[in-house]
Amino acid sequence: MNQPFRDEIDFRALVGDVKPLPRKNHADTGASRKRPSEAQLARRERAEAAIEERNFLSDDFVDLTPPFDPIEFRREGIQQGVVDKLKHGGYPVQAQLHLLRRPLAECRGLVFPFIQDAYAHDLRSVLIVHGRGRDIDSPANVLRSYIAKWLTQFDEVQAYISAQPSDGGLGATWVMLRKSDRAKANNRERQQKRRG
C-alpha cells in the first residue's frame, strides 16, 4: 500500500461519517463587488490629500548632478566609517523603493511616505532605486538630483550615498535613517539586561 493511499485511509478514519451541507444551508455573502464603493473612494482621496498636505518636499529648482558623479551626504556627527559601511552594503536592505520611469510628481508623492513609514517602523537602512541617465538633463538624472535634494530635507535621514554596482550603482541610493526614540529605548533596555 502506498503512502498517499494510507494517508487518505487515516484521514477518513479520523473524520468518520461526514456528509456535506445542503446547498441551501450556505451563507449568502452578497454580490461580489468588482469596484470600490463611493465611500471607499472618498476615504482614499481624503487620505491621499492628507499625505500631500504634510509632504514638505520641494519640487522647486534643483541643481542638476552630473550623471557620472556619485551623490553623498552625511549629517554632522555621523562618522565616515558609517557612510563607507553603508556604501559597501554593510547594512542589510530593510526596504526598497523603485522609482524607475515614474514622473517626478509621482516620485515626490512616493518618497515622502516611504521615508516616514520606514522611520515609523524602526528601519535603519533603505535603498531607493531611481535610475541614472547618460545626459545631465535626462529624466532619470533629474530625478536623481531631486532625490539628493529631498533626502536632505528629512530630519530622519542621517546619511545617503550612491550604491555599489551590485546594488544598482549610480542609479540607486543607500539611505541611513536615525534611530527612533522607541528603538533607542529598546537598545538601552537590552544593554541594561546584559549588564545584569
Side-chain angles (χ1 to χ4, degrees):
M1 184 180 321
N2 61 17
Q3 185 63 34
F5 184 68
R6 193 173 319 139
D7 290 343
E8 188 174 327
I9 291 174
D10 291 342
F11 178 75
R12 286 184 187 191
L14 286 172
V15 172
D17 190 24
V18 176
K19 295 178 184 171
L21 291 173
R23 284 264 182 227
K24 62 183 179 190
N25 199 11
H26 287 205
D28 180 21
T29 58
S32 62
R33 277 189 242 164
K34 300 203 187 297
R35 296 174 10 109
S37 70
E38 293 295 322
Q40 289 172 326
L41 291 174
R43 280 194 300 269
R44 278 187 203 164
E45 287 177 21
R46 280 195 309 270
E48 288 171 2
I51 288 174
E52 188 57 35
E53 272 182 32
R54 291 188 348 241
N55 192 341
F56 53 76
L57 300 179
S58 169
D59 58 358
D60 293 341
F61 175 79
V62 67
D63 290 323
L64 296 178
T65 306
F68 297 101
D69 289 357
I71 57 175
E72 180 176 349
F73 167 80
R74 68 183 167 115
R75 296 215 185 269
E76 192 173 314
I78 303 300
Q79 296 176 350
Q80 185 61 41
V82 171
V83 176
D84 291 341
K85 186 175 177 181
L86 181 66
K87 179 180 182 176
H88 296 294
Y91 299 102
V93 179
Q94 294 177 308
Q96 289 186 24
L97 176 64
H98 291 268
L99 300 174
L100 296 172
R101 295 181 186 87
R102 292 181 187 250
L104 187 64
E106 183 181 347
C107 293
R108 179 180 172 271
L110 292 171
V111 169
F112 181 78
F114 175 73
I115 296 295
Q116 297 287 312
D117 290 346
Y119 180 72
H121 289 93
D122 297 329
L123 304 182
R124 295 293 312 281
S125 57
V126 297
L127 185 67
I128 299 177
V129 180
H130 43 71
R132 177 193 55 88
R134 294 185 187 277
D135 300 322
I136 195 163
D137 60 348
S138 66
N141 196 60
V142 170
L143 173 60
R144 182 173 171 263
S145 301
Y146 270 102
I147 292 290
K149 177 182 177 180
W150 290 337
L151 290 175
T152 59
Q153 294 176 351
F154 285 99
D155 291 334
E156 296 86 356
V157 173
Q158 287 186 319
Y160 65 79
I161 191 160
S162 294
Q164 290 293 311
S166 61
D167 295 323
L170 297 175
T173 301
W174 277 102
V175 181
M176 173 65 73
L177 301 176
R178 68 180 167 88
K179 279 187 181 177
S180 68
D181 293 336
R182 182 177 57 235
K184 288 178 186 176
N186 288 342
N187 214 13
R188 277 193 297 273
E189 187 178 315
R190 272 197 318 267
Q191 289 174 357
Q192 288 175 349
K193 285 182 181 177
R194 266 198 321 223
R195 290 180 188 152

